[in-house]
Amino acid sequence: MALIALAADKGSPGVTTASVALAAVWPRRVLVAETDPAGGDLVYRSAAAHGGPLNPNTGMLSIAATARRGLVPDQLWDHTQPLSGGLDVLVGLGISEQAAGLAGIWPTLGRAFAQLADSPHAPADVIADCGRISGDSPVVEMFPQAALVLLVARAEPESLARVRDRAAALAAKLHGGPRGAAALATPLIGVILVADPANSAKLVHQVDDMLMAAQTGARVVGTLADDPAGAEQLAGRRRGRLDKSMLIRSARKVTVDLYQSYGAAWSGPVAGTAGAGR
């Protein structure tokens, strides 16, 4: 299986941008699912493959009724839309009030996402943009089905402190308590830092030490460049060679490192998808 859940503790570290950037260079076919209970952003920032806007009613909103009757992984494709560039997305809710319609079916969604890689018809990994999470966030009910839970954080001290505390809380919830640095638990909890590439190596070392001291069992799995221009290009609001942007170059390194470290534990080969710089 390969469900990769991205989330943040507080603020706006760029979970949606990180999710789309990783998906754009993912080495296998991938589906981006906007599962943030507070609502999605892609319908406002990205164009559909036909050049017009994405349909806000096709996605998490339309899948709610289907999932209550049970959900076969291949049914996910009935609710997806292709972005300009070819990336498949499951568009998020419009407003947080619509999340009530998903009550009780988050585990069902998590299983469908995790099992999509084993589909005999249209296999794919799923990168889930879970937005900001807290102790009572319903989307956390999907996490036991994930291969990786990746917390996105910026380099500010308060953001790093929050990601440490959130990693510890998730370890307690998902693994039953604090874990040593050598402990291997499923899902793995990792951290993606959004930072200036010039300072990233030192920052990774410092954050890993902090995570280890707190016995979170988490570690930094990679850094994404803090690249506002690249983020604008990714959203289609700015022209330029997206594949040459610092954002996409750093996302490519993160995906390579993830697959080198964990890919063998996931499902067999899945057909590739269109992405930046392919």
Side-chain angles (χ1 to χ4, degrees), residues 119-148:
S119 163
H121 305 295
D125 294 332
V126 176
I127 294 179
D129 168 9
C130 302
R132 292 186 293 273
I133 60 171
S134 60
D136 59 353
S137 295
V139 71
V140 175
E141 296 174 19
M142 296 196 317
F143 288 3
Q145 303 296 327
L148 299 173

Side-chain angles (χ1 to χ4, degrees), residues 34-92:
E34 282 195 294
T35 59
D36 185 349
D41 294 326
L42 290 178
V43 73
Y44 304 110
R45 69 166 68 171
S46 300
H50 53 67
L54 292 164
N55 183 350
N57 297 314
T58 300
M60 290 291 288
L61 188 61
S62 63
I63 210 171
T66 300
R68 291 199 176 281
R69 298 188 296 270
L71 189 62
V72 176
D74 281 328
Q75 289 179 291
L76 293 168
W77 297 117
D78 297 334
H79 304 272
T80 64
Q81 303 174 64
L83 291 181
S84 176
L87 188 63
D88 293 306
V89 298
L90 187 69
V91 171

